[in-house]
């Protein structure tokens, strides 16, 4: 795994070049550029309204940028501009090579169908046509995200918040994506459940060598999961660097404020 | 005033043209749901307004019309629609599947195999097979356009997870011409194999939902399934109580309040034809008649 990682890091997986988005006169996101390498976890932190969710939507191709480009290195090794992909290609990418973990699991799950079908949906979408194998794969993934396999036929609406979030993660990872976007994955969960989810995520990310872009306002999440941090304010990236470096020795006044705002336990 | 009260077959000619254009497009793209400007018909939605408009658009003076409702020629719905066209178009009507050139059907395909030169018109309540899993119309259209049909298998997966087998018994999704997934209207899945490679033209009209779709003659129609849970047509395992048929689709009829029931062919024309040809079931009407006659004689 480590060797493979070294080989792959030659070229970035996701490249953003001077991305911007404006809604009329309001600039939600201004001139954001970065490269994300395979296996790397990038946290985007900032207060509400700083443009981090807009940025995530542009990166994942759900929102057209007003300016700039996003490129992605496809599985065949060719780096392509997301804007140049057809809708069918983009949707296929979203179902196979990418994952998207929503803050609210109800957005990312089908609440009325069973957990097994939720996990199996992506497999069926790429042509799996064998019930036994789909179910086997679904139970395998439920085990990996620490959900009791006996609950495979229950609908997620009968699950607790933490279980729903873990199910959403399983549903996204079943096709072996290389890049996962996460929008406040621990928001709305209580502290002990958050800790367990973070632990699970950290293990999965390392084990599967995932590249992750995680949007959060919780600096603890950034510290635990990410390798690099981008701090946003007013639609701009004001500081970027290694997580430890930024959080332990913040340069910008705003970052200093952010770090010092954490209440001591 | 001798002017007829209605245009031929009720609808005006411009409306019929519009419907014919939709039908031609539907035939050109098998299984694709073509939107059309559905009209108000003199019957409530859900009673076959879509089927009636399609029939009105294709009917000619020489046509012979048959209308069935759940296989039966003599239910209120079937009789009303048959009378409607007898009155407004003056066409000949029949109950015989063989003699008919246009057959409007609600939820069955006749047992007698159809031949070329026949058109089967289905009444469709909800044309969108993906609707119950994806409520957004914009999204289902996109899924059809990109042939993203994984969701259809999610529905079948749920069936197996819950019941151990594919429990969908009617409106069983099919793939037409290896491209579009289509809802065959709520026909029992027993009828699905009859749609495959059928010599007759099959037209589907949904009046409330304003959609027309079609299966041209001799088109491949495949019922969706899993490799380890293949499609199986379902039929109650009994012979028809009236004609003794072993291979027809059966209706269950409750005969008293003590739990007695009988199973008879849902296709009345097929059943009567078999009885006329001398086939009998356990509860045939013929012996009953004989006995009644004996009683009155004695």
């Amino acid at each position: 795994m480590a060797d493979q990682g070294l080989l792959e890091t030659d070229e970035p997986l996701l490249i953003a070049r001077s991305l911007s988005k404006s809604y009329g006169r309001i600039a939600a996101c201004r001139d954001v550029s970065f490269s994300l390498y395979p296996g790397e976890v990038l946290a985007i932190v900032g207060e509400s309204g700083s443009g981090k969710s807009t940025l995530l939507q542009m990166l994942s191709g759900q929102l057209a940028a007003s300016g700039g480009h996003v490129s992605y290195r496809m599985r065949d090794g060719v780096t392509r501009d997301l804007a140049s992909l057809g809708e069918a290609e983009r949707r296929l990418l979203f179902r196979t090579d990418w994952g998207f973990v929503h803050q609210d699991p109800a957005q990312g799950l089908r609440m009325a169908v069973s957990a097994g079908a939720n996990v199996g949906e992506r497999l069926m979408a790429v042509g799996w046509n064998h019930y036994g194998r789909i179910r086997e794969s679904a139970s395998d993934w439920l085990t990996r995200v620490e959900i009791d396999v006996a609950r495979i036929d229950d609908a997620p609406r009968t699950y607790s918040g933490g279980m729903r979030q873990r199910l959403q993660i399983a549903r996204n990872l079943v096709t072996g994506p290389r890049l996962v976007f996460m929008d406040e994955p621990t928001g709305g969960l209580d502290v002990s459940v958050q800790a367990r989810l973070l632990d699970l995520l950290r293990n999965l990310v390392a084990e599967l060598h995932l590249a992750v872009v995680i949007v959060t306002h919780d600096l603890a999440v950034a510290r635990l999961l990410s390798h690099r941090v981008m701090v946003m304010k007013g639609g701009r990236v004001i500081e970027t660097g290694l997580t430890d470096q930024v959080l332990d020795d913040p340069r910008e006044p705003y970052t200093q404020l952010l770090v010092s705002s954490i209440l001591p336990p | 005033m001798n002017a007829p009260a209605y245009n031929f077959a009720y609808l005006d000619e411009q409306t019929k043209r519009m419907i014919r254009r939709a039908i031609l497009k539907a035939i050109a793209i098998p299984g694709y749901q073509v939107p059309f400007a559905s009209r108000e018909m003199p019957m409530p939605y859900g009673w076959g307004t879509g089927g009636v408009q399609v029939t009105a658009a294709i009917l000619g003076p020489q046509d012979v019309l048959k209308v069935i409702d759940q296989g039966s020629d003599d239910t209120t719905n079937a009789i009303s629609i048959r009378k409607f066209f007898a009155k407004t178009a003056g066409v000949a009507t029949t109950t015989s599947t063989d003699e008919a050139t246009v057959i409007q059907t609600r939820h069955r395909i006749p047992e007698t195999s159809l031949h070329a030169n026949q058109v089967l018109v289905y009444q469709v309540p909800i044309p969108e097979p993906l609707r119950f899993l994806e409520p957004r119309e914009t999204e289902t259209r996109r899924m059809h356009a990109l042939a993203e049909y994984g969701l259809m298998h999610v529905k079948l997966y749920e069936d197996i997870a819950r019941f151990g087998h594919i429990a969908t018994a009617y409106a069983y999704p099919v793939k037409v011409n290896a491209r579009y997934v289509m809802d065959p209207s709520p026909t029992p899945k027993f009828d699905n194999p009859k749609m495959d490679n059928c010599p007759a033209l099959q037209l589907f009209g949904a009046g409330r939902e304003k959609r027309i779709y079609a299966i041209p003659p001799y088109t491949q129609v495949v019922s969706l399934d899993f490799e380890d849970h293949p499609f199986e047509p379902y039929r109650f395992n009994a012979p028809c109580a009236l004609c003794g048929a072993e291979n027809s689709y059966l209706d269950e009829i409750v005969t008293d309040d003590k739990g007695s029931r009988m199973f008879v062919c849902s296709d009345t024309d097929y059943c009567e034809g078999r009885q006329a040809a001398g086939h009998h079931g356990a509860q045939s009407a013929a012996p009953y008649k004989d006995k009644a006659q004996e009683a009155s004689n004695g």
Side-chain angles (χ1 to χ4, degrees), chain A residues 87 91 114 129 131-132, chain B residues 139 142 148 158 225 227-228:
Chain A
E87 189 174 16
R91 285 170 71 112
S114 70
N129 196 16
Y131 176 80
Chain B
E139 186 66 14
R142 193 161 288 146
E148 281 179 10
E158 281 292 279
D225 59 3
E227 279 164 31
D228 48 347

Side-chain angles (χ1 to χ4, degrees), chain B residues 66-116:
Chain B
K66 170 184 164 81
V67 183
I68 52 174
D69 174 6
Q70 305 275 12
S72 167
D73 290 286
D74 45 20
T75 61
T76 317
N77 197 205
I79 291 174
S80 307
I81 294 175
R82 206 159 53 224
K83 273 184 167 171
F84 176 77
F85 282 115
K87 185 173 179 180
T88 59
V91 292
T93 58
T94 180
T95 58
S96 156
T97 304
D98 258 335
E99 287 168 19
T101 55
V102 176
I103 305 173
Q104 182 173 333
T105 172
R106 174 172 174 265
H107 313 348
R108 270 314 306 281
I109 299 173
E111 305 288 354
T112 314
S113 46
L114 302 172
H115 52 77

Side-chain angles (χ1 to χ4, degrees), chain A residues 2-34:
Chain A
D3 288 339
Q4 194 192 353
L6 284 177
L7 284 176
E8 276 186 5
T9 46
D10 289 353
E11 271 186 79
L13 196 60
L14 186 78
I15 307 161
R17 250 184 249 114
S18 50
L19 271 182
S20 54
K21 177 77 190 175
S22 49
Y23 298 102
R25 284 186 309 167
I26 302 162
C29 204
R30 287 182 246 192
D31 196 26
V32 178
S33 302
F34 69 90

